[in-house]
Amino acid sequence: MDPKQQQPPPVAPTAASEAPRLPSTNELKILLRAFALNKTDPSTLESIQTYCEALFSLDYEIAKVDNANGSLCTHYPPGLIIPVRDKHSDDPRPVNNPEELARLFRTGKFARVRSRFAVPVILHGRTNICRSSTLAKYLEMRTREFIASFFRGTEPDDMGDRGDEVGTDRRRLCDIDLLRTLRVKYICDLMVEGRKCYLGVPVTSSEKVDRKARYSSFSLASTPYPGVEWFKAVTAADTVKWSEAAGVDAHFSVCSELLQTLPSQHVAWGEYRSWDLSALTAHYLQLYLDLIRLKSGNDEGLLVHCISGWDRTPLFISLLRLVLWADGEIHQSLNAQQMLYLTIAYDWMLFGHLLSDRLSQGQEIFLFCFLFLKAFIEKIAPAKHALEAMPSSTASRTPLPPISSPSPSHHPHPHHHHQ
């Protein structure tokens, strides 16, 4: 194997600069237009990346792992912003070691679908909130390795492979090393299936159906959530028609002992398939927030993923960032304009959400994010605080109110889409 393959991608420490100016309304429009039309020249992309780094650096010591030309992942930002430490913390210890993460990104990137490995994108105190895709099957892993080695002009790393089982094992262990280094404890899986199948053949896997239970040391939260195709076929106030969706075999599942320790313990989770889309989103968002805020002294982090990690995953990562910011827990120096720019540019655009394609199909999950947020703040959040103040016997019988929010779709009639 070429020794150059052993080298991790360059890590650039990013020094704090002067406070970035506010993005103008016109600049936000330019960002959205470029995002919606999928027309971003290299200089514009570089300026968007630089501005995101400047926004991060107001509250965090950061470093940047180089991903120029998609050397690590073609659907990730050209520079992965690694939050090293919260500047407002009294604890001087760094949370993340960028050099170590860069090495683990390279060794573990093929373990997940489309090489979208786990990346820390939000730092809450000393807790990493990460995003990724789901687990890849062996055939995809090897195919991507061969393609990458072809363009590098090197021999692919066989990692001691002697077939499917050994090869999968080794790559899964690389992925687990990365998750443990990030101190991930909770894996929140939004997939509605255990394995994504195409023409009856499994093309992805997930931690919850890993035959060797390699992810048993993590706390797995199976939180099935409709795929992007439902954001055309369903309005925000409609009940998701689970029975009409193909391939749905996952069920809500979180350790009961863990649920009993959370403020959301009173939610009737067994009824999740009767909830409308907004209620489902609100309850899952609150569950994730409860897990993030559940401090056990071990800085236990959280990973959110769906299948490819570029539709449902940015929806929840963006909502988590916005709600935690609104509660004064992260990005304390940013105002609303800066936060809006950051979440659109970094959480959605730079991490590969295909907005132009989604809009062409009427799949408006991006719009739903912001329509939902308004309804969540106005209705669900106050109701949640009221529930927490009730005696447990009363609260357990009191449902959260339904959200009546604008539809994310302009289409009056639902259309059928394949999963």
Side-chain angles (χ1 to χ4, degrees), residues 90-123:
D90 294 329
D91 192 334
R93 296 174 300 157
V95 176
N96 293 310
N97 181 329
E99 288 77 14
E100 183 179 16
L101 289 179
R103 176 182 62 81
L104 292 170
F105 290 162
R106 184 169 292 281
T107 59
K109 65 179 181 177
F110 295 115
R112 290 187 175 264
V113 168
R114 303 183 192 275
S115 300
R116 293 174 66 92
F117 50 88
V119 180
V121 290
I122 300 174
L123 186 60

Side-chain angles (χ1 to χ4, degrees), residues 243-368:
S243 60
E244 297 180 9
V248 175
D249 58 16
H251 298 274
F252 177 87
S253 176
V254 178
C255 172
S256 58
E257 290 80 6
L258 175 62
L259 273 179
Q260 291 171 8
T261 68
L262 303 177
S264 51
Q265 62 177 292
H266 303 301
V267 174
W269 291 109
E271 300 174 10
Y272 77 98
R273 288 197 175 188
S274 68
W275 298 338
D276 62 49
L277 187 58
S278 288
L280 186 69
T281 308
H283 287 308
Y284 283 177
L285 176 59
Q286 192 59 61
L287 173 65
Y288 295 175
L289 288 167
D290 288 348
L291 292 174
I292 291 165
R293 290 164 172 159
L294 183 66
K295 303 298 183 183
S296 63
N298 296 322
D299 307 324
E300 294 172 336
L302 177 140
L303 171 68
V304 179
H305 76 72
C306 50
I307 296 177
S308 292
W310 57 28
D311 289 313
R312 290 168 285 184
T313 297
L315 169 64
F316 280 93
I317 290 294
S318 182
L319 289 173
L320 287 170
R321 192 183 302 278
L322 291 167
V323 171
L324 289 170
W325 164 78
D327 286 346
E329 298 176 43
I330 61 171
H331 297 294
Q332 298 170 29
S333 300
L334 302 191
N335 64 21
Q337 286 172 278
Q338 292 169 322
M339 178 53 61
L340 179 62
Y341 190 102
L342 178 62
T343 195
I344 292 173
Y346 197 64
D347 296 331
W348 289 92
M349 181 179 179
L350 293 180
F351 269 93
H353 177 65
L354 306 174
L355 182 60
S356 60
D357 176 75
R358 300 306 184 233
L359 290 176
S360 71
Q361 300 185 61
Q363 297 168 347
E364 297 177 342
I365 190 171
F366 174 71
L367 175 60
F368 173 81

